[in-house]
Amino acid sequence: MVNLSDWRERLLQEKQQIMQRLKQNDHFGLTRTSAHDSVGELSNYDNHPADSGTELYEREKDIALNEHTERELHDIERALQAMENGTYGICQICGEAIPLERLEAIPTTMFCKQHSADQVVSQQRPIEESVLSPPFGEFVVHEDIETFDAEDSWQKVARFGTSETPSDVQEDTVHYDRMYIDAGEQIGYVEPLETFAATDLYGTGITIYPNIIHEQYEQMLDDEQLMSPLGDLPAYEKDPYTS
C-alpha cells in the first residue's frame, strides 16, 4: 500500500531543492544574454580558438545540465499531479500497480519496469559523423585490417609538440620532439633501416642518411656485436663490409 502523504512530502522536498538550485545558479547561467557574459568577456575577437572552444564546451554542458534538471522538475510535478488524480503508483500502460521497490528508487516514475521508456539504450550518433569520412568519422579498429584510429590521431598531432617532459614519459627519450606515448612507433615503414637507407629507382646506389633511428640501429648492433639484426654474417658476406 502506497502512503501518499510520505511520498508527497518527499517529492515536495525534492522540488523545493531543485527550484532553489536553479534560482541560485541562474539556470546554470543560461539566463544571461550570451556565453561571453558568463566568463566576463565583452567580445570573442581577441580570444584564442582553444579558449573559445573551452567556453563553448562549458556552455553546452550547462545547457545539458539545465535540461536534465528541468526534466527532473517536470517529472516531480507530473507525479504530484498523479497523486491528486489518484493514479500515482499505477503504470500508465498496463494499469498494474508499480512495485514499491521501484517507487523507492524512482519516486517520479509513471511506468512499471516492463513498460519503462528508458530501458532502451539509444544508438544514435552525432550528426557530424555522417558527413565525415574515416579516419575522422569512425574511430574503430577492424579485425581484418589495421586502420587509422584515435590513438594514431593523437600521435599525429603530438609530433607538433606537447607540454610533456621527460618525467612524464615512461620510455627513454632522446629529443623533446618525441615526448609523447609510443613516440618510437614505426610510421610509414616496416623496418627501422628504411628511415635512413635509400636507393635509386633501380635498387642501386645505397645511401645512408644519419638520424636518430640510424644511431639507435648502430648502437643495437654494436651492443650485440653483430653485423646484422638477423645475426652475424658468414665470412663470404662479411668481407664486403670489412677492409
Side-chain angles (χ1 to χ4, degrees), residues 104-205:
E104 182 67 30
I106 314 175
T108 59
T109 184
M110 295 287 101
F111 308 95
C112 64
K113 181 180 179 180
Q114 182 179 356
H115 297 103
S116 173
D118 296 331
Q119 59 183 318
V120 178
V121 179
S122 175
Q123 300 296 325
Q124 294 182 356
R125 300 295 302 164
I127 188 63
E128 292 82 2
E129 292 188 1
S130 62
V131 297
L132 293 176
S133 300
F136 302 106
E138 183 183 9
F139 288 115
V140 297
V141 177
H142 300 283
E143 295 182 359
D144 55 339
I145 60 174
E146 186 174 331
T147 62
F148 189 95
D149 57 16
E151 178 185 351
D152 296 322
S153 298
W154 162 247
Q155 293 176 352
K156 194 77 172 179
V157 175
R159 294 190 192 100
F160 291 92
T162 69
S163 61
E164 304 290 350
T165 65
S167 61
D168 300 316
V169 184
Q170 294 182 355
E171 58 267 19
D172 294 335
T173 55
V174 295
H175 200 281
Y176 264 87
D177 290 340
R178 304 177 65 81
M179 292 294 174
Y180 56 90
I181 299 175
D182 293 332
E185 186 179 82
Q186 299 178 4
I187 300 175
Y189 59 93
V190 178
E191 298 294 337
L193 59 87
E194 295 182 61
T195 65
F196 55 82
T199 64
D200 57 21
L201 294 176
Y202 304 99
T204 60

Side-chain angles (χ1 to χ4, degrees), residues 14-32 65-66 69-70 73:
E14 293 183 4
K15 178 181 178 180
Q16 182 64 27
Q17 293 175 358
I18 292 176
M19 295 180 63
Q20 183 67 21
R21 185 163 66 249
L22 289 175
K23 180 179 179 180
Q24 290 177 347
N25 59 28
D26 294 331
H27 284 257
F28 294 90
L30 299 181
T31 57
R32 300 184 175 91
L65 291 173
N66 185 70
T69 305
E70 289 185 345
L73 185 60

Side-chain angles (χ1 to χ4, degrees), residues 36 41-48 51-52 55:
H36 302 304
E41 294 283 352
L42 299 177
S43 172
N44 195 42
Y45 181 79
D46 60 341
N47 279 13
H48 191 280
D51 295 332
S52 299
E55 294 175 12

Side-chain angles (χ1 to χ4, degrees), residues 215-226 228-229:
E215 295 177 2
Q216 295 175 346
Y217 186 81
E218 292 287 347
Q219 185 63 45
M220 181 270 295
L221 294 179
D222 291 342
D223 292 342
E224 299 295 334
Q225 297 182 352
L226 298 175
S228 165

